[in-house]
Amino acid sequence: MTTCIPAGSGNLHYSVAPCRGQGYRKTSWVSGVAFNRCIQKELLRSCGVSKFLQTQRCNYSKSPFSENWKSLRTVTSSCLREGSTKYFDFAVIGSGVAGLRYALEVAKHGSVAVITKAEPHESNTNYAQGGVSAVLCPSDSVESHMHDTIVAGAYLCDEETVRIVCTEGPDRIRELIAMGASFDHGEDGNLHLAREGGHSHHRIVHAADMTGREIERALLEAVVYDPNICVFEHHFAIDLLTCQDGSDTVCLGVDTMNTETQEVIRFMSKVTLLASGGVGHIYPSTTNPPVATGDGMAMAHRAQAVISNMEFVQFHPTALADEGLPVKPSKSRENAFLITEAVRGDGGILYNLSMERFMPLYDERAELAPRDVVARSIDDQLKKRKEKYVLLDISHKPRKKILSHFPNIAAECLQYGLDITCQPIPVVPAAHYMCGGVRAGLQGETNVRGLYVAGEVACTGLHGANRLASNSLLEALVFARRAVQPSIDHMKSSKHDLGTSNWWSRPIVPFSLGSEAMDKILLMTRKVRRELQSIMWEYVGIVRSTTRLQFAEQKIGVLEAKWEEYLFQQGWEPTMVGLEACEMRNLFCCAKLVVSSALARHESRGLHYTIDFPNLEESKRLPTVILPGSSVKGSWSSRQLHKQPL
């Protein structure tokens, strides 16, 4: 069931429908091994781009329980080991700013596994250009930052959450600086604060136009030298391991697949943090890296977590439009290149291809309007004029200033024959950020005991119906930190034993199918992925209608059924796993969550604009909530693998 319910104080009080599975047993926990030196990694930097984490070896000191662990082996495949099962106090899924910041804090109290789908730096954080918003200027105020956030969020934000984030944000920035993050300073020696769309003050802390990369570098460098943190790269998270304790759902870990060795690894943990990022790849064009396939949101939904506000997909107004470049890229990009909000904040002007400035026709704030307004305005221009991109011009600013503020953008464009200091930049909207996600309380807690969320995967209530520019890294930092103490408390009170790992059937890697069947499955999966993305862009894009959403719902259902039928005809079994098949499973799950949420909102608010309900309705100013057990039909994508029918 998808419904709109009143926003509460941020605390979660849900009665969770029991899911199938084994009952929760009160047992004893075998303590994690104390680490002396878990992983040594070298951080390499070249021209501002880091090649992160060359992992050497895991060593551990003796503990009373060391006889339970089999020998450790080299590289990322092992830290604590019993066969293909690892035991940690904390499991962190994702290696962006939220996951790493949390890991560094909880590592002071226990062993931590950071599980990441690709290399540790391959996250949305690393691609964040603009910066982090925080009140650091005497003329600015928490109240002003709150007001800007709530206005941008179309008054759907949770006010208590907004106050907490805006109040605690400055301290989180200072912590990053103390850890070695280097941000731009002005001639007066103070932090250079930029301004972006929707902000009434200059409050964006940045490192040129590569802020996320700099934050990721500083955090990863700290992780390298933390003896209690093990990083498991190329480990794809398949499903959370959950069971029932009365009416409560409890998370006890996660199943993963090492995509380099094709080995299924089970992580048992007292506490799990989901910090797995967004779901940009449900659309054909996105600024998100290839890893952003909604894995965390889909896993949490299958694990009976409450999901909220999935209709609010933010399309960044200005991704680089390759079609408008003088020299076309030789191959299509895996993800669109972002042209940061800060370009407009610095005075960039939007024109159509007739060099007519159009933003003042749509909003009195012109180019400084919030992203939802600017994206819809560009979309309207493109449809009316039957054009494929618009132009963003910053060339009227001094050349030296452009190159110092936007070196990464300038270098990228110059590769394709475009000099942004004297030519306008071709831009087009692209899927960028999911404002909805796994519903979180004020300390990152979910309705699933032992499961916490932070970053883009979470829906904390901060963003409401539209995220204010540069509030995403801020939210990730604040909630990663707020989740620490309840996680420690939960870890200390949790008791499990080694036998727990056998409560669930294990996923199977489909070696038995043979290469011919697997090749067919991969080809079909890639084709279906493109079809799903096309449906989402065509019918669930920037401007929507009830008829088109219903059509999308029907087409997605048919496409998913066709894909699953094909897999099973090739010998695929419900408990089998493969990277692209499991990503497809998650994309289907998240696409259906977006569509059903959009159909439930009978108004236009923020990022959700529908021609059938074009106005704001005060009575509809409620978050959209998908409750546990209200999953779409029982397809492969909607059930945990260990609950699949055999």
Side-chain angles (χ1 to χ4, degrees):
M1 179 180 66
T2 305
T3 187
C4 293
I5 64 170
S9 65
N11 297 316
L12 294 174
H13 304 286
Y14 294 111
S15 176
V16 182
C19 61
R20 298 186 302 279
Q22 303 201 37
Y24 178 67
R25 298 179 238 173
K26 305 284 187 182
T27 50
S28 60
W29 168 256
V30 176
S31 175
V33 173
F35 291 96
N36 283 338
R37 182 168 58 88
C38 181
I39 300 183
Q40 294 181 344
K41 314 173 200 86
E42 183 181 357
L43 193 70
L44 306 176
R45 294 189 69 194
S46 175
C47 302
V49 182
S50 301
K51 173 72 175 175
F52 295 102
L53 302 183
Q54 292 184 334
T55 309
Q56 303 298 323
R57 178 181 294 276
C58 289
N59 290 335
Y60 63 95
S61 62
K62 294 281 186 180
S63 89
F65 306 99
S66 60
E67 67 271 16
N68 290 316
W69 313 108
K70 295 190 177 179
S71 60
L72 307 181
R73 77 179 188 190
T74 317
V75 200
T76 54
S77 173
S78 186
C79 262
L80 297 182
R81 188 176 177 85
E82 188 194 51
S84 58
T85 302
K86 304 176 192 300
Y87 297 81
F88 285 86
D89 294 316
F90 304 93
V92 178
I93 303 171
S95 59
V97 59
L100 296 181
R101 189 67 192 90
Y102 172 90
L104 287 165
E105 291 300 319
V106 296
K108 299 170 186 175
H109 301 271
S111 57
V112 184
V114 174
I115 300 161
T116 185
K117 186 172 174 179
E119 287 78 24
H121 65 276
E122 187 66 5
S123 65
N124 277 355
T125 296
N126 202 48
Y127 289 80
Q129 294 179 356
V132 191
S133 60
V135 177
L136 294 165
C137 175
S139 63
D140 198 0
S141 67
V142 168
E143 288 70 25
S144 178
H145 192 183
M146 286 182 63
H147 176 265
D148 293 345
T149 298
I150 291 168
V151 170
Y155 298 92
L156 196 66
C157 308
D158 181 274
E159 189 171 342
E160 189 175 3
T161 300
V162 175
R163 181 173 295 281
I164 285 169
V165 172
C166 294
T167 301
E168 296 181 6
D171 284 342
R172 303 291 82 84
I173 299 294
R174 295 183 187 104
E175 288 171 356
L176 283 179
I177 293 170
M179 292 171 64
S182 179
F183 300 113
D184 288 359
H185 289 69
E187 293 179 359
D188 60 0
N190 294 320
L191 284 169
H192 181 270
L193 301 176
R195 184 182 175 193
E196 296 180 349
H199 288 274
S200 58
H201 290 73
H202 288 76
R203 64 167 70 100
I204 314 302
V205 179
H206 62 99
D209 58 350
M210 296 173 281
T211 309
R213 188 180 300 175
E214 172 57 18
I215 293 172
E216 186 81 357
R217 180 203 63 77
L219 291 173
L220 278 171
E221 195 166 62
V223 165
V224 165
Y225 296 107
D226 194 308
N228 264 15
I229 300 175
C230 281
V231 178
F232 295 87
E233 58 184 40
H234 301 290
H235 279 60
F236 174 77
I238 300 164
D239 259 326
L240 298 170
L241 299 171
T242 57
C243 62
Q244 291 302 126
D245 179 18
S247 62
D248 289 347
T249 303
V250 184
C251 181
L252 300 177
V254 62
D255 273 337
T256 72
M257 183 178 70
N258 183 326
T259 55
E260 293 197 320
T261 66
Q262 302 300 303
E263 182 182 11
V264 171
I265 307 294
R266 176 162 286 174
F267 288 84
M268 302 302 301
S269 59
K270 297 178 182 178
V271 177
T272 301
L273 176 81
L274 263 183
S276 52
V279 65
H281 283 272
I282 58 173
Y283 291 95
S285 179
T286 176
T287 60
N288 293 182
V291 293
T293 53
D295 308 324
M297 295 170 193
M299 284 193 299
H301 176 61
R302 291 192 290 264
Q304 301 288 293
V306 176
I307 306 294
S308 187
N309 287 355
M310 290 291 284
E311 69 269 38
F312 299 121
V313 181
Q314 187 174 78
F315 292 85
H316 198 288
T318 55
L320 185 62
D322 289 342
E323 287 180 281
L325 292 169
V327 179
K328 306 296 184 288
S330 57
K331 60 179 182 179
S332 60
R333 301 175 191 265
E334 287 186 312
N335 51 291
F337 184 81
L338 177 67
I339 305 298
T340 173
E341 191 95 9
V343 173
R344 285 183 286 120
D346 249 17
I349 297 172
L350 285 163
Y351 297 98
N352 59 34
L353 296 190
S354 297
M355 290 308 290
E356 298 166 340
R357 187 183 183 189
F358 58 84
M359 275 310 302
L361 302 174
Y362 295 94
D363 193 283
E364 62 183 11
R365 294 164 291 186
E367 281 79 10
L368 290 178
R371 289 177 179 176
D372 59 327
V373 175
V374 180
R376 274 198 303 276
S377 303
I378 293 173
D379 185 68
D380 187 56
Q381 284 283 306
L382 297 180
K383 287 173 178 172
K384 282 180 177 175
R385 297 173 58 85
K386 295 182 171 54
E387 293 172 347
K388 295 185 176 180
Y389 56 88
V390 297
L391 300 170
L392 176 60
D393 190 19
I394 192 70
S395 65
H396 51 282
K397 294 292 182 178
R399 176 182 175 86
K400 184 177 179 182
K401 181 179 179 181
I402 295 171
L403 294 178
S404 65
H405 285 193
F406 310 113
N408 191 41
I409 293 172
E412 179 70 18
C413 290
L414 201 58
Q415 282 189 64
Y416 302 104
L418 185 78
D419 184 349
I420 69 170
T421 66
C422 57
Q423 295 171 281
I425 307 166
V427 294
V428 68
H432 181 60
Y433 189 88
M434 170 55 76
C435 292
V438 184
R439 183 113 169 153
L442 294 176
Q443 294 181 303
E445 75 277 16
T446 71
N447 62 299
V448 176
R449 200 193 319 157
L451 179 66
Y452 295 80
V453 289
E456 189 173 350
V457 71
C459 182
T460 66
L462 174 69
H463 306 309
N466 176 44
R467 176 172 69 81
L468 180 64
S470 289
N471 266 4
S472 56
L473 293 176
L474 178 72
E475 179 198 40
L477 287 166
V478 169
F479 272 87
R481 194 68 181 79
R482 290 185 70 81
V484 169
Q485 191 56 53
S487 296
I488 294 166
D489 294 342
H490 184 85
M491 183 273 291
K492 289 179 177 178
S493 66
S494 297
K495 294 180 180 180
H496 311 300
D497 65 15
L498 291 174
T500 306
S501 67
N502 298 318
W503 290 0
W504 305 270
S505 58
R506 301 234 175 199
I508 302 165
V509 178
F511 296 121
S512 60
L513 296 188
S515 59
E516 184 179 351
M518 284 306 301
D519 287 345
K520 288 180 180 179
I521 286 170
L522 283 175
L523 285 172
M524 180 60 151
T525 299
R526 290 166 188 171
K527 178 176 178 288
V528 166
R529 181 166 169 157
R530 290 191 297 271
E531 288 182 37
L532 175 67
Q533 291 170 333
S534 178
I535 292 167
M536 291 298 291
W537 179 250
E538 185 69 24
Y539 302 105
V540 201
I542 296 171
V543 176
R544 301 164 178 173
S545 73
T546 301
T547 301
R548 295 171 77 78
L549 288 170
Q550 290 171 339
F551 193 54
E553 186 174 50
Q554 177 200 353
K555 286 180 75 74
I556 290 169
V558 170
L559 182 65
E560 182 181 27
K562 181 180 80 170
W563 175 67
E564 289 187 6
E565 183 182 4
Y566 184 84
L567 259 62
F568 299 138
Q569 284 175 350
Q570 297 299 320
W572 192 272
E573 296 177 10
T575 53
M576 285 182 171
V577 292
L579 175 61
E580 293 191 31
C582 286
E583 282 186 334
M584 190 71 247
R585 175 177 178 242
N586 293 335
L587 289 167
F588 269 124
C589 182
C590 290
K592 291 184 291 186
L593 291 172
V594 170
V595 174
S596 61
S597 297
L599 280 166
R601 183 164 294 281
H602 294 168
E603 64 162 354
S604 288
R605 185 179 294 274
L607 297 162
H608 174 71
Y609 183 83
T610 170
I611 60 174
D612 295 308
F613 305 98
N615 301 314
L616 281 172
E617 297 285 347
E618 180 59 25
S619 64
K620 308 286 187 187
R621 187 164 65 89
L622 304 166
T624 307
V625 173
I626 298 176
L627 295 168
S630 58
S631 163
V632 281
K633 296 172 186 176
S635 61
W636 189 48
S637 71
S638 63
R639 289 189 300 263
Q640 291 172 307
L641 286 193
H642 53 82
K643 292 180 183 172
Q644 297 290 343
L646 298 175

